[in-house]
Amino acid sequence: MIIPNDPFIGTHYIGREEVKAAKKVLKSKSLFRYQGPKLLYKTDEFESNMKKYLSVKYVLACSNGGSAIKLCCIANGVGPGDEVLMSPFTFIASANSVLACGAVPKFVDIDETMNINPDEIEKNIGPNTKAILVIHMQGQPCDMPKIMKIAKKNKLIVIEDTAQAFGAEINGKKAGTIGDCGAFSLQAGKTITSGEGGFLATNNKKIYEFAKMYHDNGGFRVGCNYPIWENKKTIFGENFKITELQSAIANEQLKKIDMILKHQKNNYNYLINKIDKEFYTIRPCVSNSKLVYSNIAFEFHTQNECNQFIKYMNTYGIGFNIYCNNLINQYDTFKYKTSWHNSKFPYNISKYQQTKCPKAESLFKRVAWFSLSASLKKKHLKYIIQKLEEYKNEF
Ligand SMILES: Cc1ncc(COP(=O)(O)O)c(C=O)c1O
């Protein structure tokens, strides 16, 4: 049996509803959110529904998760000379978005939850630290109560990269709504999807308005009117707007969120309840958190043990793997301070310094991941459990 590592959670729920919604937008010939012959206001609808779901005051839909992070940074005044504390265990987009603002990341170690270690945040705060970019990795929320306390004490901005954790909660609050603002992704591998796309959530009107201007080429737009660039409010900006087609699809996906999360949790529990937890060390999570259950992760004592397990599972067609080949702080951009500009911007002004993250370096090589998605049927789960049991007995 072949059971590939399939991280495409929302993708599997694309059905008649999404097709119908997309068709309607195409028939309207109004794909641009602010104008068209028969505008359906699908982006407004998505933002309004998302506000309700997240219980926040403001949501701004945008082109992708990376642009949402950049908007969060910019709207909070993160820029050249600033340092942003973040974990190196993430997707490169988290750090690229910080660099794109002219700031630099300062990589801070993780703890056994594989998310940023709050104690390490405190140790790494320096004179240039402006913000903490918390990344809720692989559907699991960071320790937000601790992080918020540290941020408050040190007057730091908290931005939540919730690209991989839409639907997760901590203490009954949705991940991405606890800090100053949250960035979300609608890319194909996320809880809900429109292929590409993203959004920002905040309770702060100023942040929302600033982000809204920046994402619309810095223009000040009222309703669907043409933006104004001559009113002393405007800033320079970029085009990070979402399309009506994406919003229409994302809207239908959002209607399915409870069903998606329930299915994820059921699959996770089915597996977890049937494996030997003495032998398999499951990735721990912070208390009072609700996960997306987008994957199952086992920690092994050594890299060799982990590789041996992965090899065994792969031999039987089960796509366990390590998360990535390297931590992002080991990528060339940080090793060699590479940039699109020969001045080496922003490394040249923000004094980027490499930091050591021993726990992350050790853990990422010793943890085997397997994505859980709706493509997994009971027979697949049973097969995985059988192979996990056989591996345990063999080694
Ligand atoms: C942790 C994390 N942050 C940011 C992003 C960027 O999102 P997008 O691909 O929508 O730009 C991703 C995407 O995979 C991600 O996993």
Side-chain angles (χ1 to χ4, degrees), residues 64-66 69 90-91 93-94 135 137 161 163-164 185 187 190 197:
N64 54 59
I69 299 170
T90 182
F91 180 58
S94 313
I135 303 150
M137 270 306 272
D161 178 346
Q164 297 188 5
S185 167
Q187 183 262 344
K190 306 303 187 284

Side-chain angles (χ1 to χ4, degrees), residues 140-370:
Q140 224 165 278
C142 296
D143 192 342
M144 291 311 289
K146 263 194 187 170
I147 293 170
M148 292 310 290
K149 250 190 210 162
I150 296 165
K152 205 170 169 193
K153 192 172 120 195
N154 295 281
K155 297 191 173 60
L156 298 176
I157 290 152
V158 177
I159 297 166
E160 293 176 74
D161 178 346
T162 321
Q164 297 188 5
F166 175 65
E169 292 178 14
I170 184 155
N171 291 335
K173 275 191 160 186
K174 295 272 185 319
T177 69
I178 302 160
D180 294 275
C181 58
F184 298 80
S185 167
L186 293 167
Q187 183 262 344
K190 306 303 187 284
T191 325
I192 62 168
T193 183
S194 50
E196 294 276 10
F199 55 99
L200 166 160
T202 184
N203 284 308
N204 185 320
K205 193 176 178 190
K206 266 193 176 165
I207 291 175
Y208 166 73
E209 287 182 343
F210 209 87
K212 186 167 178 276
M213 274 201 295
Y214 192 93
H215 106 300
D216 198 7
N217 281 310
F220 181 74
R221 194 192 287 266
V222 179
C224 288
N225 293 332
Y226 196 71
I228 300 165
W229 283 272
E230 292 159 309
N231 67 350
K232 304 223 162 57
K233 277 189 175 180
T234 66
I235 45 173
F236 89 74
E238 293 171 83
N239 178 11
F240 287 165
K241 292 192 288 297
I242 198 167
T243 67
E244 284 284 280
L245 209 44
Q246 288 166 293
S247 298
I249 295 166
N251 240 328
E252 296 308 315
Q253 289 262 295
L254 181 55
K255 288 178 195 164
K256 300 175 182 177
I257 184 65
D258 290 341
M259 177 174 62
I260 295 174
L261 292 173
K262 193 172 160 202
H263 193 176
Q264 291 298 121
K265 189 175 177 181
N266 284 347
N267 275 353
Y268 182 87
N269 283 340
Y270 187 84
L271 274 175
I272 288 299
N273 291 335
K274 288 188 169 57
I275 59 174
D276 182 347
K277 272 139 348 247
E278 293 282 311
F279 183 81
Y280 290 107
T281 306
I282 298 160
R283 178 188 180 195
C285 57
V286 286
S287 55
N288 282 330
S289 56
K290 188 177 141 191
L291 320 184
V292 177
Y293 302 105
S294 50
N295 51 75
I296 184 163
F298 299 136
E299 179 186 337
F300 292 89
H301 294 295
T302 63
Q303 187 179 357
N304 276 350
E305 269 183 42
C306 184
N307 288 343
Q308 177 186 274
F309 169 79
I310 289 170
K311 199 172 162 202
Y312 183 94
M313 287 294 150
N314 292 174
T315 306
Y316 289 99
I318 305 169
F320 269 92
N321 212 341
I322 53 162
Y323 180 74
C324 53
N325 290 332
N326 221 337
L327 296 169
I328 66 161
N329 59 342
Q330 306 296 333
Y331 286 173
D332 283 0
T333 179
F334 299 106
K335 238 179 178 169
Y336 307 116
K337 301 184 183 176
T338 51
S339 165
W340 51 271
H341 196 258
N342 61 15
S343 66
K344 288 198 178 287
F345 173 85
Y347 301 102
N348 58 339
I349 46 166
S350 299
K351 298 185 181 69
Y352 171 74
Q353 280 186 331
Q354 279 200 319
T355 41
K356 290 242 176 296
C357 299
K359 182 91 181 176
E361 268 167 44
S362 156
L363 261 182
F364 99 97
K365 293 178 194 151
R366 292 190 286 112
V367 174
W369 301 82
F370 184 76

